[in-house]
Amino acid sequence: MKSNLLIASLLLHLTLSAQQYPFVQYTPKDGLVNSRVRKVFQDSRGRIYFLTFGGLSMYDGARFTNYTIQNGLAIDMVNDIIELGDDSLLIATNTDQLNILVHGQMRKFGVPDKKETIINQFLKSSDGSIYATADQGLFELKGQQFAPFLQNDYFNPYLGTLVEWGDWLICGTNDLRDYTGLYIYNKKKRIITDAKVNLRISSLAKDRANHIWVSLSDGIHLLDSTSLLQGSIRFAPVAAPYEQLNHFGASSFSFAPHDTWLIKSGNEIVKAGDDGSMITIKFPDREGPAGRNSIYVDRENIAWICTEANGVIKLANTRLRTESVGSERNEPAVIKSACYVHDTTWYLLNDKLARKTKNDYHEFIGNIPAGFFCIGQYDGMLIGSDGKSIYSARIPAAGQSISFSHDLTLPDTSALESKSLVDPNGYIITYSRTHLYVVKQDMIIYQLPLRTDDFIEGIKTDAASRLWVLTRYSGIMIFTVHPESPEFYLQSSLAITNELKEISPRCMLLDKNNMLWIGTRYTGLVQYRFNGSGLQKLRQFQTTEGLTDNFVTSLAGDSLGNIIVGTQTGLDRLLVSTTGESRIENITRSSNIFGMMKTIWVNSQHETYALTNSGTLFQLLAPEKNNKNFQPQLFIQEIRNNNKTVPFTASLRLPYSRQNLVFNIAAPTFIDEKQVLYSYRLSGTSDDSWSEPSSNATINLLNLPAGNYSLQVRANFHSTAYTPEELSYSFTITPPWWQTWWARSFMWIGIASILILFVTLYYRRKLERQRVALEKQQAIEKERTRIASDMHDDLGAGLSTIKFLSEKLGQSTANETDRTDADRIANNSNELVQKMNEIIWAMNEKNDTLEDLLFYTRSYASEYCEENGLECETSLSANISKQFVSGEIRRNVFLTVKESLHNIVKHAEATQVKIDFETEQDLTVTISDNGKGMAVLNEEESGGNGLRNMQRRIESIKGSFRIVNANGITITVKVPLKG
């Protein structure tokens, strides 16, 4: 886009009465499909369609989407378009094939008519019927084809424009008939009721009051309503408030709620208001009227002008225009400076001073100092400076020259600028790099030293006649004014420093509500409240709040309490409501105009003027009332997945392999479409916070994992009063099959089955091994029982015989030696019998219970201790289970107890033995005596093997063996009974 205000030849050739409005131009460079634009159409969502000779362009404010033959369009020359339903549009090209555009997808509509009907314009009737004019006459949509409205249309008139009025259809012709002819069809009777075959019609349209406007060679007329009721054609003049348009020639009409727009014959656009106002806007080039195809006013009252070769031109803001100053057309004046004071504006032109008031304009020549700028006027005198000295001149009458006198040259002229002023008492308040001066009657009557490294950025007087001096680094100095004592004219009242640190002020404004506004170099615009002793910061406005630039160069306040903000790149208006709410209207940027605003003022007619550093003068009228009939819609324009457009559905489901999504969103508003800011958040992710607002209307979501998502989008309209819009769209990315619930279920079932099978096999094998071991053990036990039985029967009888014979021999022999040997044999036989009984007991499977082990061991211990003169105390658990105990455990536990008792008798010199049997999960046997203990527990040192043997016995059955040598010996044996 480009603004034709930037064309120097245009800006420099405007005169006092000439005003230029800002146009924005769209060409193929900006995305338009073709520069020859025929018509403009706006759909129900607010999107703009440009019908061109080279295709169809859809513009949603964020992007152009173009359709040509390559995109499915029947032919590139587009005649008309009509909306059938939500996001569904019927398109007529300059061929017999129709297209339909549904959700952005171009398709063919119906089948070509055999008569090769070429449709020129659609019309949707009030009853829902769709009519169309064509080269072959008038047609009506039946199903998916257009059927002739009349069976025999003898005129064959190459119909073009088409409007509806009650039961009548009024048609004009197209260029193939040189726009000659006007026809009325009766919809119900299906007849032509009147025709003006030779009448040339430049334009035909119906306004919002149901009047039919017709542009003829002698001017603009209305079709008489009374005659129309009879089905005949008669013309009537244009009534108030548009009667001034009667004699205009117009090539195109368009109607807004309170305005009528037309392209006037010649090179102008006319905007006529229902209040009787009318403005004429010149085109920004020299192209003749034949180059204007049509004008269209959208729902935001923006005018779109279609051109034959230069694309489409937008006129978005008729409240802003440029104004030139100078009476000579051939020698354009350059505005070097401007000063507004006492309802008078003074301009310094090339070599003249110009004075403009509400009712007149005059230019003056004279001895105008080089580089002169106006400081103010007082008592009929104009006061100014050239940056070094102060000059004054009596304000002359019209036609006279102006004569300046040199009043004073300041001691230091290093920084004298136009921020100086003449206060209400006629004193000149000016400054240099080193001092603040008060000048009166050619004399410096007061001066105040300043920091030499500081700069004065503003001098203002308030309603209480106090003087405010704003400096760049030292803050604000407030003075009371004392004209009664000129030598003490300024008395310091307050110095404000801390509140303004780090903001680098550049200008200030005291508004009508006594609020202080300070424009800064880097941090935008700041509002303060003065409480008598300091400043309270209220609000700050920067580019993030919609300001064009953070470098604020000038400020002014209008009669409505709004703040006009000049920046280094454009002009903004801060609209402040009575409730304190505010928004920023980008005045110049909305028209694609940029420039550094040097000076701003508001005159008594409530018109704002802004002068740029390049000499361009802008005029800004008071803001229009908000357009309450329009609110932009926020919607998803297109969804792309893996670089392919996805058909739009209410809820989208995509497979896991399509994880990349691109959402093109739009909120069509064309006042300042580039200032619509979008933000979004995606619920269903770890970070669902809102994104930073951006003008980028494309949302890229990449590498999304499987899951359910909700995309929320918000559109903010900083430059307009439109309320923010939000939308929400849900979509799902399905997981791969191996991540689905049923796949996971089958997987877990499979894993569980494998585990169950493994555990089953494991325990089956374990049980099998246990069964084999048990059978083996049982076989061993049976064998042991048999051996024990055989030993008892055979060896027991033999040992008993030996014992009996040895005793008999001892009794019968007289030899002492033989008797001793016989006794020894008897004793050994007796011991062998006892040991054999122990072995037989251990081997006998009938004794394989814990109860048998404990009772047998306790019985043995009691007998053994009694035989050896020891007092034996034993304790058993109350309930002893009859669980199985293997012969190996029985034998090793018994032999360990036996060996312990043997050691006590042999070595301990004890008198008491205590044996405790505990049976819980393990068998614990504790044997303690009250003997002398052992001097050495290490059997390697003691030379014995008994302790070592006992420990080995217990460890062989996975038990533990422990000895405590304290107050005798305590032996603890712990043997597991299970496992």
Side-chain angles (χ1 to χ4, degrees):
M1 293 177 288
K2 60 182 180 181
S3 172
N4 292 281
L5 286 174
L6 301 179
I7 303 175
S9 61
L10 175 65
L11 292 176
L12 299 181
H13 287 81
L14 299 174
T15 64
L16 173 66
S17 58
Q19 294 171 325
Q20 178 60 45
Y21 292 82
F23 291 96
V24 177
Q25 191 167 2
Y26 299 84
T27 68
K29 183 178 179 181
D30 306 298
L32 192 66
V33 68
N34 189 272
S35 61
R36 299 179 64 197
V37 183
R38 306 185 69 192
K39 296 179 182 179
V40 175
F41 173 79
Q42 187 174 29
D43 69 12
S44 59
R45 290 190 172 189
R47 294 172 292 198
I48 295 290
Y49 295 81
F50 303 108
L51 288 63
T52 79
F53 285 86
L56 176 68
S57 282
M58 185 276 292
Y59 184 46
D60 60 18
R63 64 192 66 81
F64 281 90
T65 304
N66 296 327
Y67 301 92
T68 62
I69 293 176
Q70 287 75 20
N71 306 107
L73 200 62
I75 197 171
D76 283 344
M77 183 175 175
V78 184
N79 290 347
D80 203 13
I81 186 171
I82 190 171
E83 190 168 16
L84 299 179
D86 182 37
D87 210 3
S88 177
L89 298 104
L90 186 63
I91 302 166
T93 59
N94 201 44
T95 183
D96 57 356
Q97 177 64 62
L98 296 174
N99 288 99
I100 187 167
L101 186 64
V102 180
H103 296 303
Q105 302 300 305
M106 186 68 70
R107 306 170 187 169
K108 291 183 179 180
F109 180 83
V111 294
D113 185 65
K114 295 180 180 180
K115 297 181 180 180
E116 297 185 354
T117 304
I118 300 176
I119 291 175
N120 296 313
Q121 182 172 324
F122 295 116
L123 183 142
K124 181 178 284 188
S125 174
S126 57
D127 61 7
S129 301
I130 294 178
Y131 299 93
T133 56
D135 291 355
Q136 294 74 22
L138 182 64
F139 290 80
E140 183 179 5
L141 183 63
K142 298 292 185 181
Q144 289 197 343
Q145 280 192 330
F146 279 91
F149 184 76
L150 299 179
Q151 292 299 323
N152 297 299
D153 196 342
Y154 298 104
F155 291 100
N156 191 22
Y158 294 95
L159 296 183
T161 54
L162 174 63
V163 296
E164 180 186 37
W165 196 89
D167 293 334
W168 283 266
L169 298 173
I170 300 100
C171 304
T173 60
N174 60 27
D175 57 335
L176 296 180
R177 283 284 300 272
D178 197 26
Y179 304 105
T180 301
L182 185 65
Y183 306 89
I184 298 182
Y185 289 76
N186 187 295
K187 291 191 299 182
K188 292 183 177 179
K189 297 180 179 181
R190 292 185 174 269
I191 60 173
I192 296 176
T193 59
D194 198 2
K196 302 293 183 182
V197 179
N198 298 318
L199 194 67
R200 192 176 192 279
I201 307 297
S202 299
S203 185
L204 174 67
K206 183 173 70 173
D207 67 13
R208 295 174 184 269
N210 208 33
H211 297 135
I212 306 297
W213 292 54
V214 182
S215 179
L216 305 177
S217 58
D218 61 344
I220 299 174
H221 302 269
L222 300 180
L223 288 182
D224 182 69
S225 300
T226 304
S227 299
L228 281 176
L229 287 173
Q230 305 302 319
S232 62
I233 298 174
R234 288 185 59 187
F235 298 105
V238 177
Y242 302 112
E243 66 273 9
Q244 68 268 37
L245 302 178
N246 273 305
H247 301 293
F248 283 18
S251 60
S252 178
F253 300 118
S254 190
F255 304 98
H258 303 290
D259 302 295
T260 296
W261 293 73
L262 56 91
I263 297 180
K264 183 181 177 183
S265 299
N267 199 35
E268 296 175 333
I269 300 172
V270 175
K271 177 186 177 184
D274 58 9
D275 57 356
S277 63
M278 186 176 72
I279 60 173
T280 300
I281 304 169
K282 288 185 175 295
F283 281 103
D285 53 53
R286 299 293 182 180
E287 191 176 4
R292 316 298 174 192
N293 287 320
S294 63
I295 185 170
Y296 178 83
V297 179
D298 67 16
R299 290 195 288 276
E300 293 181 284
N301 296 333
I302 297 172
W304 302 83
I305 302 98
C306 303
T307 74
E308 181 64 28
N310 295 324
V312 64
I313 299 171
K314 180 181 76 172
L315 181 58
N317 190 356
T318 57
R319 314 299 288 177
L320 175 70
R321 55 196 177 192
T322 59
E323 181 173 313
S324 65
V325 178
S327 58
E328 297 184 12
R329 295 178 180 269
N330 296 328
E331 295 182 6
V334 176
I335 303 174
K336 296 182 177 180
S337 65
C339 175
Y340 179 77
V341 57
H342 300 315
D343 205 19
T344 301
T345 306
W346 291 90
Y347 297 99
L348 176 66
L349 307 181
N350 293 348
D351 55 354
K352 302 176 183 178
L353 272 177
R355 183 185 66 188
K356 183 180 179 181
T357 62
K358 178 180 179 181
N359 299 316
D360 59 13
Y361 172 84
H362 298 287
E363 294 179 355
F364 304 97
I365 60 174
N367 61 335
I368 303 171
F372 178 85
F373 56 84
C374 175
I375 294 177
Q377 66 182 50
Y378 182 78
D379 196 21
M381 300 293 293
L382 179 65
I383 301 168
S385 174
D386 61 358
K388 298 179 181 179
S389 302
I390 295 176
Y391 301 87
S392 63
R394 176 66 58 183
I395 299 175
Q400 297 180 350
S401 62
I402 190 167
S403 178
F404 283 97
S405 61
H406 178 274
D407 294 343
L408 177 68
T409 298
L410 297 178
D412 177 13
T413 60
S414 58
L416 182 60
E417 292 185 3
S418 58
K419 294 183 177 67
S420 305
L421 59 80
V422 179
D423 73 4
N425 300 311
Y427 289 81
I428 301 171
I429 313 297
T430 187
Y431 60 96
S432 69
R433 187 67 177 271
T434 58
H435 288 81
L436 177 70
Y437 299 107
V438 179
V439 178
K440 182 72 172 180
Q441 297 177 351
D442 309 338
M443 296 179 58
I444 298 174
I445 63 172
Y446 178 85
Q447 58 182 335
L448 177 69
L450 300 174
R451 284 175 49 181
T452 57
D453 62 342
D454 208 348
F455 299 90
I456 288 180
E457 298 293 354
I459 301 176
K460 302 289 181 182
T461 57
D462 62 14
S465 298
R466 292 172 298 194
L467 183 73
W468 293 59
V469 179
L470 174 68
T471 66
R472 186 175 298 185
Y473 304 119
S474 301
I476 294 177
M477 296 177 287
I478 303 177
F479 301 92
T480 56
V481 178
H482 300 275
E484 72 282 0
S485 301
E487 66 276 15
F488 304 107
Y489 188 74
L490 297 180
Q491 295 295 312
S492 178
S493 172
L494 182 65
I496 302 172
T497 57
N498 294 331
E499 291 88 338
L500 304 182
K501 284 184 178 179
E502 309 298 333
I503 70 169
S504 192
R506 288 297 187 273
C507 55
M508 72 172 176
L509 169 70
L510 292 164
D511 68 15
K512 68 176 187 178
N513 298 317
N514 293 322
M515 293 292 179
L516 175 66
W517 300 83
I518 294 183
T520 73
R521 174 63 181 88
Y522 304 105
T523 56
L525 177 66
V526 188
Q527 180 191 21
Y528 296 93
R529 176 184 288 115
F530 179 61
N531 57 19
S533 60
L535 298 178
Q536 177 188 359
K537 182 178 178 180
L538 299 180
R539 289 179 293 182
Q540 185 169 0
F541 301 90
Q542 301 186 75
T543 54
T544 53
E545 285 73 39
L547 206 63
T548 296
D549 199 290
N550 283 334
F551 184 4
V552 179
T553 56
S554 51
L555 294 168
D558 66 14
S559 59
L560 301 175
N562 302 317
I563 307 301
I564 314 301
V565 185
T567 71
Q568 68 171 348
T569 55
L571 187 68
D572 297 324
R573 176 160 48 196
L574 177 62
L575 301 171
V576 182
S577 68
T578 55
T579 60
E581 297 179 353
S582 61
R583 65 178 177 86
I584 295 176
E585 186 179 43
N586 302 130
I587 301 299
T588 54
R589 185 168 60 182
S590 64
S591 298
N592 209 29
I593 300 171
F594 302 94
M596 184 173 183
M597 301 296 142
K598 183 179 180 181
T599 308
I600 305 175
W601 68 94
V602 181
N603 65 18
S604 59
Q605 290 80 50
H606 315 302
E607 299 168 332
T608 298
Y609 288 85
L611 180 65
T612 71
N613 61 346
S614 62
T616 303
L617 181 64
F618 291 100
Q619 181 193 42
L620 177 64
L621 303 181
E624 290 182 303
K625 294 181 180 180
N626 294 333
N627 183 4
K628 297 182 179 180
N629 298 321
F630 180 80
Q631 170 67 32
Q633 298 182 41
L634 176 63
F635 56 88
I636 297 174
Q637 173 65 33
E638 182 186 30
I639 304 175
R640 296 185 65 83
N641 176 247
N642 294 350
N643 295 322
K644 293 183 179 179
T645 300
V646 177
F648 191 86
T649 58
S651 183
L652 185 64
R653 290 182 65 86
L654 294 171
Y656 77 97
S657 58
R658 299 166 64 183
Q659 299 171 297
N660 300 323
L661 283 172
V662 177
F663 290 86
N664 289 326
I665 55 178
T669 168
F670 304 99
I671 293 176
D672 191 2
E673 63 263 37
K674 299 304 178 184
Q675 291 308 302
V676 180
L677 299 181
Y678 302 93
S679 58
Y680 72 93
R681 67 178 179 181
L682 184 62
S683 300
T685 63
S686 58
D687 182 11
D688 60 353
S689 58
W690 285 97
S691 65
E692 287 294 324
S694 168
S695 59
N696 184 11
T698 299
I699 300 172
N700 292 286
L701 304 176
L702 304 178
N703 298 321
L704 291 174
N708 297 317
Y709 298 94
S710 177
L711 177 66
Q712 292 176 275
V713 184
R714 177 189 297 153
N716 290 289
F717 311 95
H718 281 308
S719 295
T720 61
Y722 303 138
T723 57
E725 286 283 310
E726 289 192 11
L727 67 82
S728 179
Y729 184 75
S730 299
F731 62 94
T732 300
I733 295 180
T734 59
W737 65 266
W738 59 85
Q739 291 183 1
T740 58
W741 67 268
W742 52 268
R744 293 177 184 271
S745 300
F746 279 122
M747 180 181 66
W748 286 113
I749 291 173
I751 292 174
S753 300
I754 293 172
L755 289 175
I756 292 171
L757 179 61
F758 176 79
V759 172
T760 301
L761 292 176
Y762 170 78
Y763 280 104
R764 182 176 293 175
R765 291 184 62 186
K766 184 176 180 181
L767 290 173
E768 183 66 23
R769 288 196 300 269
Q770 290 178 345
R771 184 185 65 79
V772 172
L774 180 59
E775 290 178 351
K776 184 178 179 180
Q777 182 68 27
Q778 289 176 346
I780 292 173
E781 294 298 330
K782 289 180 180 180
E783 184 63 20
R784 287 169 56 190
T785 301
R786 184 189 64 79
I787 294 171
S789 177
D790 292 344
M791 288 177 62
H792 181 272
D793 294 340
D794 298 335
L795 293 180
L799 289 174
S800 297
T801 302
I802 293 172
K803 177 183 178 184
F804 175 75
L805 293 176
S806 60
E807 289 177 351
K808 183 178 180 181
L809 179 61
Q811 293 175 359
S812 61
T813 184
N815 190 322
E816 186 65 28
T817 301
D818 294 339
R819 188 182 299 116
T820 301
D821 292 337
D823 291 338
R824 187 179 296 121
I825 293 172
N827 291 333
N828 288 336
S829 298
N830 189 49
E831 290 178 6
L832 286 174
V833 170
Q834 185 176 355
K835 289 180 180 180
M836 186 186 65
N837 289 334
E838 294 171 1
I839 292 172
I840 293 172
W841 171 83
M843 293 176 63
N844 197 335
E845 63 179 355
K846 296 179 179 180
N847 302 319
D848 287 349
T849 64
L850 179 61
E851 184 181 45
D852 292 332
L853 170 62
L854 298 185
F855 287 167
Y856 184 83
T857 304
R858 184 183 64 173
S859 175
Y860 170 82
S862 299
E863 292 179 3
Y864 184 81
C865 290
E866 182 179 354
E867 291 176 356
N868 291 280
L870 293 175
E871 182 180 344
C872 181
E873 180 182 350
T874 60
S875 64
L876 287 173
S877 301
N879 296 317
I880 302 175
S881 66
K882 294 185 178 182
Q883 69 181 88
F884 171 80
V885 178
S886 66
E888 184 181 8
I889 293 177
R890 297 199 316 272
R891 182 171 59 86
N892 285 308
V893 170
F894 174 76
L895 293 177
T896 299
V897 175
K898 179 179 178 181
E899 183 68 22
S900 299
L901 294 175
H902 174 73
N903 288 336
I904 293 173
V905 172
K906 185 176 180 181
H907 303 291
E909 299 180 4
T911 61
Q912 292 181 350
V913 176
K914 184 176 181 180
I915 305 176
D916 294 326
F917 299 96
E918 295 181 5
T919 57
E920 293 181 356
Q921 293 182 353
D922 300 327
L923 170 61
T924 304
V925 182
T926 305
I927 307 166
S928 59
D929 64 64
N930 64 347
K932 64 180 182 180
M934 297 178 62
V936 179
L937 283 179
N938 190 337
E939 291 208 11
E940 292 181 357
E941 297 180 7
S942 65
N945 293 320
L947 295 178
R948 188 180 301 112
N949 290 336
M950 286 189 290
Q951 184 173 359
R952 288 174 179 172
R953 287 181 185 278
I954 298 303
E955 289 177 351
S956 67
I957 55 176
K958 300 179 181 180
S960 62
F961 180 84
R962 187 166 61 92
I963 300 176
V964 178
N965 186 13
N967 299 323
I969 295 296
T970 299
I971 296 174
T972 302
V973 175
K974 191 171 185 180
V975 178
L977 296 176
K978 295 181 179 180

